[in-house]
């Protein structure tokens, strides 16, 4: 039979494996002119993540690196309509937060991710 320490080690390993899985959550982005993009983001524990959002005409995507002890990340944004930008996300938890994107045309977009994105 396994002793207490072995059971604890197996439990810890299981938790580590589960936390290494992708986690997906909703994203809503609002441009200065009220244009709204909706989509999803996903992240992998300690590896960063990616997002994709569309307004039905344009689609914007990006990837970011994130480490467990960092609550703010910057990332490039590329849209299929030619716009590009740099975003900054502020994580309140692994799957919730907000931020902004400064686009190449000078516009500033705000976004929210996690459950709060569904309310917008």
């Amino acid at each position: 039979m396994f002793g207490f320490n072995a059971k604890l080690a197996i439990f810890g390993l299981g938790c580590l494996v589960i936390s290494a899985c992708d986690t997906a959550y909703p994203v809503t982005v609002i441009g200065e002119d009220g244009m709204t993009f909706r989509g999803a983001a996903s992240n992998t524990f300690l590896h960063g993540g990616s997002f994709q959002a569309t307004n039905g005409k344009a689609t914007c995507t990006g990837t970011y690196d994130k480490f467990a002890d960092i609550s703010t990340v910057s990332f490039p944004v590329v849209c299929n309509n030619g716009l590009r930008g740099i975003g900054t996300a502020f994580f309140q938890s692994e799957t919730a937060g907000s931020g902004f994107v400064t686009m190449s045309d000078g516009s500033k977009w705000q976004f929210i991710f996690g459950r709060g994105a569904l309310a917008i």
Side-chain angles (χ1 to χ4, degrees):
M1 293 299 277
F2 289 110
F4 177 75
N5 289 338
K7 286 181 183 178
L8 188 59
I10 291 171
F11 175 75
L13 181 60
C15 288
L16 182 61
V17 170
I18 288 170
S19 67
C21 298
D22 286 347
T23 304
Y25 42 91
V27 174
T28 298
V29 183
I30 300 174
E32 287 180 343
D33 61 357
M35 174 179 41
T36 302
F37 286 74
R38 296 191 185 278
S42 65
N43 63 30
T44 303
F45 183 68
L46 295 178
H47 294 289
S50 62
F51 69 90
Q52 179 176 5
T54 184
N55 68 355
K57 296 178 182 179
T59 299
C60 299
T61 61
T63 60
Y64 58 91
D65 292 326
K66 183 175 183 301
F67 301 97
D69 61 343
I70 297 176
S71 61
T72 303
V73 296
S74 292
F75 53 90
V77 175
V78 178
C79 302
N80 66 352
N81 63 0
L83 283 176
R84 294 179 174 272
I86 299 294
T88 301
F90 305 99
F91 284 81
Q92 296 166 342
S93 72
E94 283 294 315
T95 60
S98 61
F100 61 90
V101 180
T102 301
M103 299 304 291
S104 55
D105 66 355
S107 64
K108 294 194 185 292
W109 300 3
Q110 294 184 331
F111 63 90
I112 187 168
F113 55 95
R115 285 188 167 180
L118 298 174
I120 297 174

